Amino acid sequence: MLQSLHRSESASQRSSVSRRWSAKPPPPEAHGKAAGKPAAFFLRENRYNPRISAHPRSNETMHQSKLLIPTLKENPADADVISHRLMLRAGLIRQLASGLYTWLPLGLRVIRKVEAIVREELEKSGVQEVLMPVVQPAELWEETGRWAKMGAELCRLKDRHDRDFCLGPTHEEVITDLFRREIQSYRALPVNFYQIQTKFRDEVRPRFGVMRAREFTMKDAYSFHLDQECFDTTYREMYDCYTRILTRMDLDFRAVQADSGNIGGDNSHEFHVLARSGEDTIVFASAGDYAANLEKAKAAAPSARPEAGEDCKPVATPGVHTIDDLASFLKIDAKQTVKTLVVAGEEGPVALVLRGDDELNPIKAEKLAGVIAPLRMATDEEIKQHVGCAPGSIGPCNLELTTYVDSYAAALADFVCGANEDDVHLTGVNWERDVALDDAFVVDLRTVREGDPAPDGQGELKFLRGIEVGHIFQLDRVYSEPMNATVLDPDGKSLIPIMGCYGMGITRLVAAIIEQNHDDDGICWPEPLTPFDVHIVALNYAKSEPVREAADRLHEELSAKGFSVLLDDRGERPGVKFADADLIGLPHRITVGGRALKEGNVEYRRRTESDNRSVPLADVAGCLQS
RNA sequence: CGGAGUGUAGCUCAGCUUGGUAGAGCACUACGUUCGGGACGUAGGGGCCGGAGGUUCAAAUCCUCUCACUCCGACCA
């Protein structure tokens, strides 16, 4: 597969390249009309102007007419999310196939900015950079059992010798292998390695452009420690490091407690950039510091259970199958009912009891002993067989299944539930009296809701949407143990180190930044991340000698002062240039036009402001620095 | 993987119901007029109507099968 992949790829590249070039040969040093033009992949706006190209320039790549920045006037049909739309429209990326994107010059410059900040802060935190291969041998994954455990998301391939490989979706195996080969002494610990590398995950559903792509760039770091205390120190350091990185990017973000997947352990935080289009719901307290992913979020324990008041009685409920039906049929609040869900378990089905108005949190449920992960609801047949009725009439009374009860359901008195008999419910049911309740089986199962009391009692819970751009968590010995990574401790004994793992989505960050920094006209790059600092929009550059001279001089002057400058030297009309400038969204725009130039001025405008300011040509640099 | 939808020019889309020589706008090329917020005229170039099979005198259009892409749900940076 690997082999055929190589072959077909190079073949197609060759053919498309030769087709392109043979159709329209490039003009080497030729000037004038007779010269051919590699027009197809230069800009649509890029009119070939012999007079311009006759002028040698110091820094060709900064000239917009020579850079591939294919802006789009119309919204691409396939992009619904704002960042995706703007990235296509501003010419940052182009899609190759589902979940695969080519980064064009402008987008790549932003990636480099993001990477630079990430690198600087990681180095400050004492993390050392390495670079591991994208292609990884199956043997390593077999050692940890993930070769079998990972599904189709792991892209597998074979080399010419028919040996198994995969495209790395993550690098725990590789780094642990490196560690066990190279590090033998406790004295080397703690160590922390990072890389910025392409990952491939064959996502079931890539979406939102580069936000959830199959191939993407991630910064991943892995640390090794002798003991928990040492790990905790590094974990805090990484938490602070991530906070510094996102703060430097001017992002509005939240660190939240997170579920650590199948790894377990309490040390797990996600870093979310707040955005309406975010895929995750994050929960935070209106007062105090509590913040968590919805999957993980808890509410304060319910108040104590009231005394029983009613007698337990069966009631006929023909055709009533849902909690809504039940509440309206009996004219009661859904809060006074209890629902019993049956899920697949290791030794027969398991019952989960929740208050009628609550939603099951599947992440919490699948962690329970005896419950199969990923969570699967029992089929109607299984329920019929084990409970004896249809799903609409199940209840905890006389239920012969392992039963977990959510603490909110456990706090009810005189509640209504199914009678485990079709079309019959029980009213006035009370725990202990009518149903046994073992404290060990009273657990947190519900999905929290806005307005719930915060678990630490500080205010109530609020929801926001977030884009997960970072995740730090404890790996314990999940990889070091099966892979036999050990060091000798001071007493000469073998010791298996604890590991930590710290991920940050580089390409996803680019999308998240745009989600938070745009307006109706386009992107508004924050200074630390902008592909260029300054956009010089030269009106009539080709035809007006004074404009060309002023713009070129300004370009050189600002470059010399350390600004990165994009000079719009295209032969487009002013309206087109302004619209593109807004779309691309560089923070500073300088318009050089004949009108103001007569007075020796140019116009300056911040991307986030709506008014132009007239500035003498000589003062531009000072104006930018202020 | 289930559900929904879309594939026609580089882009946005019409044409399909009711088969009869493939269209518009933008973009591109040339020339001219324009030139401070997405100009205009004239003349051009560009399409295996996603692919395969079928029905038919005739298929972008009808049928079958496929492939790709997008959106909604379970996974994750």
Side-chain angles (χ1 to χ4, degrees), chain A residues 232 268 298 410 458-459 482 561:
Chain A
D232 288 342
S268 175
K298 291 186 185 126
Q458 307 272 313
K561 290 218 155 88

Side-chain angles (χ1 to χ4, degrees), chain A residues 1 12 35 38 105-106 144-145 210 221 234 253 269 281 294 305 320 341 370 372 383 392 411 471 494 530 533 591:
Chain A
M1 184 175 170
S12 71
L106 220 46
T144 58
V210 300
T234 298
F253 69 97
H269 283 87
T281 298
L294 181 61
R305 187 187 324 141
V320 170
L341 308 172
I372 290 176
I383 292 172
H471 193 173
S494 267
T530 185
D533 301 317
T591 306

Side-chain angles (χ1 to χ4, degrees), chain A residues 3 5 35 84-85 102 193 200 265-266 294 299-300 331 359 382 408 434-435 509 512 517 540 575 619:
Chain A
Q3 203 181 344
L5 197 84
H84 186 198
R85 215 154 58 200
T102 296
F193 299 104
F200 189 89
D266 283 337
L294 181 61
K331 299 192 174 52
E359 290 272 329
E382 286 170 315
Y408 275 61
D434 307 315
V435 199
L509 262 170
N517 296 281
N540 240 328
D619 297 350

Side-chain angles (χ1 to χ4, degrees), chain A residues 351-411:
Chain A
L352 307 174
V353 179
L354 287 138
R355 209 170 73 180
D357 60 326
D358 277 334
E359 290 272 329
L360 176 69
N361 181 327
I363 304 289
K364 292 176 181 174
E366 67 190 22
K367 293 210 164 118
L368 297 170
V371 171
I372 290 176
L375 198 68
R376 177 178 71 80
M377 299 305 286
T379 61
D380 289 6
E381 290 73 43
E382 286 170 315
I383 292 172
K384 187 81 193 165
Q385 183 194 338
H386 288 90
V387 184
C389 66
S393 303
I394 315 171
C397 303
N398 303 314
L399 190 61
E400 309 267 314
L401 299 176
T402 304
T403 303
Y404 288 98
V405 180
D406 178 71
S407 55
Y408 275 61

Side-chain angles (χ1 to χ4, degrees), chain A residues 281-286 449-452 460-464:
Chain A
T281 298
I282 61 175
V283 177
F284 66 101
S286 57
R449 279 182 299 209
E450 275 196 287
D452 283 347
E460 58 183 37
L461 299 181
K462 303 259 186 217
F463 286 10
L464 284 175

Side-chain angles (χ1 to χ4, degrees), chain A residues 81-84 207-208 210-212 246 251-256 270-282 293 464-471 504-518:
Chain A
V81 177
I82 191 77
S83 59
H84 186 198
R207 62 188 130 173
F208 306 151
V210 300
M211 200 100 87
R212 177 168 300 280
L246 298 176
L251 288 164
D252 188 8
F253 69 97
R254 297 279 188 286
V256 305
E270 288 170 352
F271 288 78
H272 285 264
V273 169
L274 303 184
R276 270 195 302 276
S277 64
E279 288 186 89
D280 290 272
T281 298
I282 61 175
N293 190 302
L464 284 175
R465 300 293 287 180
I467 300 165
E468 184 191 352
V469 296
H471 193 173
M504 187 166 253
I506 302 290
T507 41
R508 181 181 284 183
L509 262 170
V510 176
I513 289 156
I514 295 171
E515 287 289 328
Q516 253 182 28
N517 296 281
H518 68 269

Side-chain angles (χ1 to χ4, degrees), chain A residues 566-583:
Chain A
L566 179 64
L567 171 59
D568 187 354
D569 59 335
R570 299 173 303 164
E572 289 295 339
R573 296 166 59 82
V576 174
K577 293 187 166 214
F578 291 138
D580 276 350
D582 288 341
L583 227 201

